[in-house]
Amino acid sequence: MKKEDPILTFTFQDILRFILRWKKHLLIICLVAGGAAAIFSGPKFIPPKYSSEVIFYPTTINSIANAMFTDLNKREADVLAFGEEEEAENALQILKSDKLNNRIVRNFDLMNHYKIDPGGKYPYTKLGKEMKKNISYSRTRYLSIAIQVMDEDPQMAANIANGIAAIYDSVKTEVQQQVAKQAFIIIEDEFKKKEAHVWSLKTRLRELGSKGIINIDEQAATISDGLYKLYSSGGSSARIKQLEAERDTLAKYGSEYTNNYESLILELEELSQLRKRYNKAKVDIEKTLPHKFVLTNATAAEKKIYPIRKMIVLLSMMATFVLASVVLLLLEQRKKIQTVEA
């Protein structure tokens, strides 16, 4: 049977003896590495960063009028309802939009804040990288939205986080009102046309009223009854001529009056519906409601979040210990191989 090569065979006891044999060297190397990590992770080399966070629930409101001026059993949304998955995804899309990001850059002068030269090479690419590194948006497990901002200035981090939450409201309002204003223009045009048509029908009915056309059925019955009596009794010819003139006028304009009157009833009903839509559309462009329920406002952090010096020192010492052990082990094995070959 072939024996295992003792040079390449290691047991736990071998490893333990190896560590004990080189313990002073390993200890010194690890302490030096830990000290160097502590120094180079200090604020002079790695500026500390502070984190602030805003947490909010998006609302379900798209139309204020539909939410507030509609019967309860017909409402599309409740103004006090928290948004769910769809609203959370929509909120994330708005937060990541160029419209919102451009306002953040402008409102907080991030180009200057991140010390980026606007006239330098690829300034907006650098700005985008800094923003991605320091500003993040996420959906929590409870379908709320978290805005997290890191900055070297704790107050600045809080200001940016709160500012983004405020900008979110205005951007969503603007996006919705772009459509709402177009819809209002269309509804307003239809409403005014319908209103003008109703007014023309009323005007014509008044003109017909001035001709004595008021109630077709009653007038026709009255005139027919009067003529019948006059014809039967041989009444005044002047009165007969008067009633016959009224009958002719009624025959001439009666159908027009009836048509206009019936049309007016239908048009008034349609005008009422259009007026409701017009008033709702007007509310949507003139009034606003918050688009979020803020659960946590950002405040200036008291402790830094980055870098974690203890973790850096610990990981540096562990990595140095492993690397030094491997190097020393390889050196020992090399000596053993040279001894065997000799």
Side-chain angles (χ1 to χ4, degrees), residues 21-80:
R21 187 163 58 250
W22 294 96
K23 62 182 179 181
K24 291 184 180 180
H25 299 79
L26 291 172
L27 180 61
I28 292 171
I29 292 172
C30 288
L31 289 175
V32 171
I39 293 172
F40 287 105
S41 63
K44 290 184 178 180
F45 296 93
I46 303 178
K49 288 188 177 181
Y50 300 82
S51 176
S52 289
E53 187 176 59
V54 172
I55 298 177
F56 70 87
Y57 273 105
T59 65
T60 60
I61 298 303
N62 290 315
S63 170
I64 299 174
N66 285 339
M68 301 189 69
F69 301 107
T70 307
D71 293 340
L72 287 174
N73 58 343
K74 296 181 180 179
R75 283 186 180 176
E76 296 179 3
D78 182 359
V79 293
L80 301 179

Side-chain angles (χ1 to χ4, degrees), residues 259-292:
N259 291 335
N260 284 344
Y261 182 78
E262 291 177 352
S263 296
L264 179 62
I265 298 299
L266 295 175
E267 294 294 330
L268 284 173
E269 185 176 350
E270 292 182 8
L271 179 64
S272 177
Q273 296 299 322
L274 274 174
R275 181 178 285 107
K276 289 179 182 178
R277 293 172 61 186
Y278 172 80
N279 290 334
K280 285 183 178 181
K282 192 174 183 181
V283 168
D284 284 334
I285 65 170
E286 292 181 349
K287 307 295 180 181
T288 59
L289 282 176
H291 296 288
K292 64 185 183 304

Side-chain angles (χ1 to χ4, degrees), residues 53 55-57 88 92 138-146 295:
E53 187 176 59
I55 298 177
F56 70 87
Y57 273 105
L92 287 175
S138 60
R139 189 182 69 180
T140 70
R141 60 183 296 187
Y142 303 109
L143 299 180
S144 61
I145 301 298
L295 304 181

